Amino acid sequence: MTSHDIQKDIVSACKIETIKAIIEDLNGDYFALLVDESRDVSRKEQMAICLRYVDKRGFVMEAFIGLVHVKDTSALSLKKAIVDVLAHHSLTLSSVRGQCYDGASNMQGELGGLKTLIKQESRSAHSVHCFAHQLQLTLVAVSKKCVQVGELVLLVSNVLNVLGASFKRVDGFRESQKQKLVEALDMGELEMDRGLNQELGLIKAGDTRWGSHYKSFGNFISNFASIVDVLDALVVNASTPDERASASGFLRSCQTFETVFLLHLMTDVLGITYDLNVSLQQKEQDIANAIILVKVFNLLQELNERFNEVISDLLNGVACLNPIDSLSSFDIKKIVRMTELYPDDFDGFSMRALENQLANYIIDVCAIDKRFFNLGGLGELSRKLVETKKHLNYSLVFLLVKFALLLPIATATVERAFSAMKFIKNDLQNRMDDEFLDGCIVPYVEKKVFKDVSNECIIKTFQGMKTRRVQL
């Protein structure tokens, strides 16, 4: 048990059984792909693959199935890696009914991007750009139309670059933080307790990192006194006239009423949309509720400009299936248009059958069966259809509901996997090989699945890997 090779085999057995449980839960049904790339601590490019599917009970599930090291990040190489992973689990691209990526060109490119290559294999694998990223880009684009806000973003970015330009300045910033904290505690302005008064870093905002501007502005306000202290010291101790002039200019700009007012204003505004961003990151969030959430913040027009005609038709069809307000948005024509976007699943005969089912379905769930009254969204509708066995009576309607739920709206599950990757493969364990990293990260991310895997299954898989001298 002290052998590294044996430990790696046991970890691999845990990963295999965890993914096996996920694939069994999928049960050969349709699924959506969520894919993203990130570099690990050793600068290797890693691709995380997640599946989104509707289980037998009608619940929307998102599951992480693996991390793949990719030497070449071209769309063709990424596609091959995805195909290989799916094939290893007896899955194919023909079952893909949704894709979700960030805005990288190798993913979203219309001509040779990953989404286009996958759609060539499955015409119904519609791609949705991560809503959280789109919301962030929309907020940045709209806010920068105001010159003063654009100047604020640039000022904060430049000040943070100056403060982080050397270890000496970072140390000075931290020392000032400690002094301010001690003074506040001595004056009774802060309470001491576990988890309180954590050190706040200087977060740099990024146009594609959701919530980063909110966190950046918030931390800038919280650390304002320490930031001023470092700039003051730099004005006095600058090694060159240019550095002194730059620090002096930033110091004056930071201390104006307009800058302070805009910092608090934008923090309040972005705080509201931050709640929306958090809502969009929920695993079971569906695209219909996401559109309703966005409407509350009057951003729908700006977001609509980022959707092509196909996605717009899909969203219109999904909205018509949403059971909120007793299916008040129900429109057969828009739903039929939605079915035309799934040519591999609906032919002429099934579309006529669907229209008949829809006519009966709308009367049943809106006027007769009280169990369907006051449902909160497509997720609840899916679960209620399975619970009442009506998914068998309205099989084509349920298929459309399932397709609507498969459309992913955020890459949060993938990003959680990358957070786990940085925790598992850190500075002290930066030589961890790819197979061992993948073996560790899958059970770690999918804890709920892994805890239900029996020791007997893991032992059996471990024993079956190779001939062993000892039986566990």
Side-chain angles (χ1 to χ4, degrees):
M1 294 297 289
T2 60
S3 165
H4 291 300
D5 291 336
I6 295 297
Q7 291 170 1
K8 287 181 178 180
D9 285 348
I10 292 175
V11 166
S12 293
C14 293
K15 179 200 75 172
I16 290 169
E17 287 301 315
T18 301
I19 298 178
K20 182 180 176 182
I22 292 170
I23 300 302
E24 287 177 354
D25 193 43
L26 173 60
N27 195 33
D29 207 347
Y30 300 109
F31 59 90
L33 280 172
L34 291 81
V35 179
D36 203 355
E37 306 164 80
S38 181
R39 289 184 178 181
D40 61 25
V41 70
S42 60
R43 311 301 291 171
K44 285 184 176 181
E45 196 75 32
Q46 305 284 358
M47 178 174 67
I49 304 174
C50 297
L51 305 182
R52 181 180 173 96
Y53 61 95
V54 178
D55 68 9
K56 298 175 183 178
R57 300 172 299 158
F59 283 81
V60 181
M61 308 296 293
E62 285 188 2
F64 171 66
I65 63 167
L67 204 62
V68 183
H69 168 50
V70 285
K71 296 180 180 179
D72 178 8
T73 59
S74 67
L76 282 171
S77 297
L78 297 181
K79 178 193 171 186
K80 183 181 183 305
I82 292 171
V83 169
D84 290 344
V85 170
L86 294 180
H88 184 70
H89 303 298
S90 302
L91 302 174
T92 65
L93 291 179
S94 61
S95 296
V96 177
R97 291 297 180 272
Q99 308 177 63
C100 190
Y101 314 113
D102 63 12
S105 58
N106 63 337
M107 299 282 194
Q108 294 283 359
E110 293 293 337
L111 296 179
L114 178 61
K115 72 170 186 181
T116 303
L117 296 179
I118 289 181
K119 199 161 186 180
Q120 290 172 357
E121 303 288 334
S122 175
R123 294 179 293 174
S124 302
H126 300 295
S127 174
V128 179
H129 186 180
C130 173
F131 262 51
H133 284 157
Q134 290 195 75
L135 177 62
Q136 172 73 7
L137 292 171
T138 300
L139 287 171
V140 171
V142 171
S143 62
K144 284 185 177 180
K145 289 180 181 179
C146 175
V147 176
Q148 291 83 354
V149 173
E151 291 174 348
L152 176 68
V153 172
L154 186 60
L155 173 64
V156 170
S157 177
N158 287 335
V159 170
L160 295 184
N161 286 336
V162 169
L163 265 61
S166 72
F167 290 114
K168 184 178 180 180
R169 296 175 193 175
V170 173
D171 289 341
F173 171 75
R174 287 178 174 170
E175 186 60 34
S176 177
Q177 270 189 316
K178 291 178 183 177
Q179 291 177 2
K180 304 296 182 190
L181 178 60
V182 171
E183 291 173 6
L185 290 172
D186 289 341
M187 296 175 63
E189 294 178 356
L190 293 176
E191 295 181 3
M192 289 189 66
D193 201 352
R194 184 176 181 180
L196 296 179
N197 310 315
Q198 297 289 316
E199 180 180 309
L200 296 176
L202 298 173
I203 298 176
K204 294 182 180 179
D207 288 359
T208 58
R209 296 200 304 273
W210 70 271
S212 61
H213 284 78
Y214 171 66
K215 295 175 184 176
S216 181
F217 290 160
N219 284 10
F220 199 94
I221 292 172
S222 299
N223 294 315
F224 188 80
S226 298
I227 291 171
V228 169
D229 284 349
V230 176
L231 290 176
D232 265 331
L234 190 57
V235 170
V236 176
N237 304 317
S239 57
T240 66
D242 287 345
E243 280 188 355
R244 182 176 293 107
S246 176
S248 179
F250 290 144
L251 186 60
R252 281 197 308 272
S253 298
C254 287
Q255 292 179 310
T256 63
F257 171 80
E258 182 180 16
T259 296
V260 175
F261 172 77
L262 283 174
L263 274 170
H264 283 275
L265 175 65
M266 291 306 298
T267 302
D268 288 342
V269 171
L270 294 176
I272 297 171
T273 54
Y274 183 80
D275 291 337
L276 171 59
N277 246 319
V278 172
S279 297
L280 292 175
Q281 299 288 317
Q282 294 175 3
K283 278 190 175 183
E284 292 189 10
Q285 189 63 268
D286 63 68
I287 202 164
N289 279 350
I291 291 295
I292 292 173
L293 285 170
V294 173
K295 280 183 179 179
V296 173
F297 293 90
N298 296 319
L299 287 164
L300 192 58
Q301 181 178 350
E302 287 78 6
L303 279 175
N304 276 340
E305 295 175 0
R306 299 177 180 271
F307 296 139
N308 58 33
E309 184 179 350
V310 171
I311 297 300
S312 296
D313 287 341
L314 274 174
L315 295 181
N316 289 331
V318 169
C320 294
L321 292 169
N322 198 345
I324 290 179
D325 296 330
S326 300
L327 282 164
S328 58
S329 300
F330 187 81
D331 188 322
I332 288 183
K333 290 183 179 180
K334 290 181 180 179
I335 294 175
V336 169
R337 169 56 187 150
M338 179 183 174
T339 63
E340 294 172 357
L341 301 175
Y342 293 95
D344 295 329
D345 306 288
F346 292 93
D347 55 19
F349 175 79
S350 59
M351 288 178 69
R352 288 191 294 273
L354 172 65
E355 290 188 39
N356 293 331
Q357 282 191 19
L358 286 170
N360 294 327
Y361 165 80
I362 191 66
I363 296 172
D364 190 356
V365 302
C366 286
I368 299 176
D369 197 333
K370 294 182 179 179
R371 293 173 295 182
F372 286 83
F373 294 0
N374 301 318
L375 294 180
L378 285 172
E380 289 187 25
L381 174 62
S382 171
R383 298 192 289 272
K384 188 62 68 175
L385 284 169
V386 173
E387 179 187 321
T388 59
K389 301 292 193 297
K390 288 185 185 289
H391 70 300
L392 302 175
N393 300 333
Y394 306 114
S395 58
L396 296 175
V397 177
F398 181 66
L399 183 60
L400 271 183
V401 171
K402 187 185 296 184
F403 287 163
L405 289 171
L406 287 182
L407 290 173
I409 63 168
T411 56
T413 302
V414 180
E415 289 164 11
R416 291 186 187 104
F418 287 141
S419 296
M421 177 183 73
K422 294 175 183 176
F423 177 76
I424 293 170
K425 188 173 182 179
N426 52 38
D427 291 330
L428 296 177
Q429 301 179 118
N430 59 12
R431 297 183 65 184
M432 179 183 290
D433 63 53
D434 298 326
E435 185 178 354
F436 191 40
L437 172 62
D438 190 38
C440 290
I441 196 172
V442 171
Y444 180 82
V445 174
E446 296 298 333
K447 295 183 183 72
K448 290 183 179 180
V449 178
F450 179 56
K451 72 178 180 63
D452 291 330
V453 176
S454 67
N455 290 338
E456 289 74 19
C457 291
I458 295 173
I459 291 172
K460 184 178 180 181
T461 299
F462 169 77
Q463 297 290 172
M465 288 179 173
K466 62 182 74 169
T467 302
R468 310 280 183 187
R469 289 184 296 173
V470 177
Q471 296 290 314
L472 286 181

